[in-house]
Amino acid sequence: MEAEKSTENITYSPPKSAYLWTAGIFAIVYAIIYISLVLLVHYTTSGLGLLNLADAHAYVLYAFVFLFVIVSMYIYLVVSRRELLYSLKKVGAMMTLFSIVVVINMVLMVFNVYLICVALAAMLILPFSKKRDAFVLNIFSCLVTLFVLIATLEHKEFPAVAFTLIAGLLGGAVATYSFPSGMTRVVSLLRSFVTGVVTIAVYFVLLSTYKMSVAPFVDRIMFIGLSVAGEVLFTAVVIPLVEWIFNLTSDFKLMELVNHKAPLIRRLIKEAPGTFNHSLAVANFAEICAEAIGEDPFLARACAYYHDVGKLNNVEYFTENQAGYNPHDELLPEVSAEIIRKHTVDGYELCKQHRIPEEIARATIVHQGTLPIMYFYNKARSLTDGEVNIDEYRYYGEIPTTRMGAIIMICDSSEAAIRAMDHPTGEKVDKLLRGMIDDRLKNGQFDNCAITMKDLTAIRLAIVGAYGGLYHKRIKYNNGRDGGTNV
């Protein structure tokens, strides 16, 4: 990463190369799915399927259908989830999981069509992205699987086609939306259990609809049970592997990262306790703000914990770690500014060395944006009669590209400013926050992320509401002996 950044180099939309790389990822997925289906039809199936097409015509139809599905998925991503283009590793991980699910289902249907894992895509993708991504990609995986069934099954197996469509849509919705966002092992098991119950219920409805005998239900319920159990086991094995291979975050990973025994957190506690306490307060603000605008509170807390780890390289040069002596008093303002503004890129490098996931590591780069360090800039102006280039006093950073980055930026500045206030009140804090947010808007710090004025208002009100609980005055009680006790 370049150490120096100027505002002229900031891009306000994903680079064109991101669109091309994403298109390449989708092209690879298309090739994998198409080749898998051709091999399946050629080597393992007999008959012409429900469409009754010869191989030559069928292969052309497969190509067009899968092309339609892949293009639709690409349009969804670049239109509705454009922020993912800033994290191609996440796009690659999601599409890898999508491909794996589709290919696995193709293999399973060779043995028995009721072994198909109808909600597996939702369960695998949910820990790494938003709920709507898991839901939408599960729909697409069900559509691809549905088409494969139509292309390979005989007419008598039509109930299996209906089962896959209905169970996939309902099971994916249940797997995605049945529980809160927080993912614990208990929640994961309960999610899988509820999804399995819904899947069995769908088949029971089909049994009643088609007036089938009880015997087929009893025979096939075993395969459906194996499918549900397979989803649970496969999810438990694959999620840690994806975390490690792509260096992404799940709720399990986030809990590990904010543990006080994590290497960088342990260093903050020992070497920079002031910075660590500041990070804890920012984390409390960030978690509340994330919930207020519908972002992941666990990710917000992790980003806040790590946003200032770059200060470990020069602990004593930051106010919260000083005990009376300030080394900046003996330095030229340009030297002081260089030390301060460099903690952003230093933090990013530390995070990469410790394999901290990118979406958390980027909090180090964006939490100060490209704002100037006004204290040292004004100090430099007072020491010279000439012009002072303000760009030489800007942080080495980038403006946020996600709403999470904006949250960390606001919470970081808010916590430091509120702590420095004399006799803060709710009204004073609200006025302070309005000014800070307006200043960042005027400086274009939120131009590159999809944060709205409504979001900024919700963040401001959340911090004002949390202020009373985090910064309360201690009350003195008379204990009748030595004058009082502070609480």
Side-chain angles (χ1 to χ4, degrees), residues 185-431:
R185 289 176 175 82
V186 173
V187 170
S188 181
L189 288 173
L190 287 175
R191 192 191 306 273
S192 302
F193 175 76
V194 172
T195 304
V197 170
V198 170
T199 304
I200 293 172
V202 168
Y203 188 74
F204 182 78
V205 171
L206 286 176
L207 173 69
S208 303
T209 302
Y210 286 94
K211 298 180 180 179
M212 298 166 65
S213 64
V214 176
F217 178 76
V218 173
D219 293 339
R220 292 165 184 171
I221 197 68
M222 177 184 67
F223 294 108
I224 296 173
L226 288 173
S227 170
V228 173
E231 288 179 347
V232 177
L233 294 175
F234 194 75
T235 301
V237 172
V238 169
I239 287 177
L241 287 176
V242 173
E243 286 178 356
W244 181 76
I245 294 171
F246 291 94
N247 198 22
L248 297 178
T249 60
S250 67
D251 286 343
F252 304 126
K253 180 70 172 179
L254 291 174
M255 287 188 285
E256 294 175 3
L257 290 173
V258 299
N259 189 304
H260 289 188
K261 294 182 180 180
L264 281 177
I265 302 302
R266 192 165 60 247
R267 281 192 62 190
L268 278 178
I269 294 172
K270 291 182 178 180
E271 301 174 30
T275 297
F276 174 69
N277 288 327
H278 161 69
S279 298
L280 287 181
V282 173
N284 290 331
F285 278 155
E287 188 170 353
I288 295 168
C289 292
E291 288 181 337
I293 66 171
E295 289 290 327
D296 185 351
F298 298 102
L299 178 59
R301 175 165 287 275
C303 289
Y305 266 56
Y306 287 86
H307 81 282
D308 265 347
V309 293
K311 293 181 178 180
L312 286 169
N313 287 1
N314 294 285
V315 173
E316 68 277 8
Y317 287 90
F318 295 90
T319 307
E320 66 268 24
N321 300 311
Q322 295 169 0
Y325 169 68
N326 187 349
H328 291 292
D329 294 338
E330 301 173 4
L331 299 177
L332 292 173
E334 56 266 33
V335 177
S336 293
E338 178 66 17
I339 294 172
I340 298 299
R341 67 181 185 154
K342 197 170 180 290
H343 86 272
T344 55
V345 290
D346 285 346
Y348 186 82
E349 291 303 322
L350 276 173
C351 286
K352 302 314 289 182
Q353 290 171 18
H354 287 78
R355 281 187 58 83
I356 304 299
E358 180 70 14
E359 54 193 324
I360 296 174
R362 286 201 61 78
T364 63
I365 291 292
V366 305
H367 76 276
Q368 295 288 0
T370 57
L371 292 170
I373 308 171
M374 294 305 299
Y375 177 82
F376 293 116
Y377 171 69
N378 291 329
K379 184 178 179 180
R381 292 181 62 190
S382 68
L383 295 176
T384 181
D385 295 329
E387 290 292 326
V388 178
N389 186 358
I390 195 171
D391 287 338
E392 294 180 0
Y393 290 82
R394 293 185 184 277
Y395 281 98
Y396 292 140
E398 299 175 6
I399 61 176
T401 56
T402 64
R403 295 199 302 172
M404 187 63 69
I407 288 173
I408 301 302
M409 172 182 278
I410 296 170
C411 291
D412 174 53
S413 301
S414 300
E415 195 283 329
I418 294 172
R419 191 178 292 276
M421 289 178 70
D422 293 326
H423 308 294
T425 64
E427 184 177 349
K428 288 183 179 179
V429 170
D430 186 63
K431 183 177 179 180

Side-chain angles (χ1 to χ4, degrees), residues 23-41:
I25 292 171
F26 278 72
I28 293 172
V29 172
Y30 172 81
I32 291 173
I33 295 175
Y34 180 75
I35 292 172
S36 298
L37 177 56
V38 170
L39 293 175
L40 174 73
V41 171

Side-chain angles (χ1 to χ4, degrees), residues 14-64:
K16 292 182 179 179
S17 59
Y19 292 91
L20 296 176
W21 279 107
T22 303
I25 292 171
F26 278 72
I28 293 172
V29 172
Y30 172 81
I32 291 173
I33 295 175
Y34 180 75
I35 292 172
S36 298
L37 177 56
V38 170
L39 293 175
L40 174 73
V41 171
H42 184 74
Y43 288 107
T44 64
T45 63
S46 59
L48 303 178
L50 297 178
L51 299 176
N52 200 34
L53 294 176
D55 284 353
H57 298 94
Y59 294 156
V60 174
L61 179 62
Y62 302 160
F64 278 107

Side-chain angles (χ1 to χ4, degrees), residues 69 73 98 101-102 105 117-118 120-122 136-146:
V69 170
M73 293 170 63
F98 176 84
V101 170
V102 172
N105 283 336
C117 301
V118 293
L120 183 58
V136 169
L137 289 181
N138 193 77
I139 289 176
F140 279 117
S141 73
C142 287
L143 289 176
V144 172
T145 303
L146 179 67

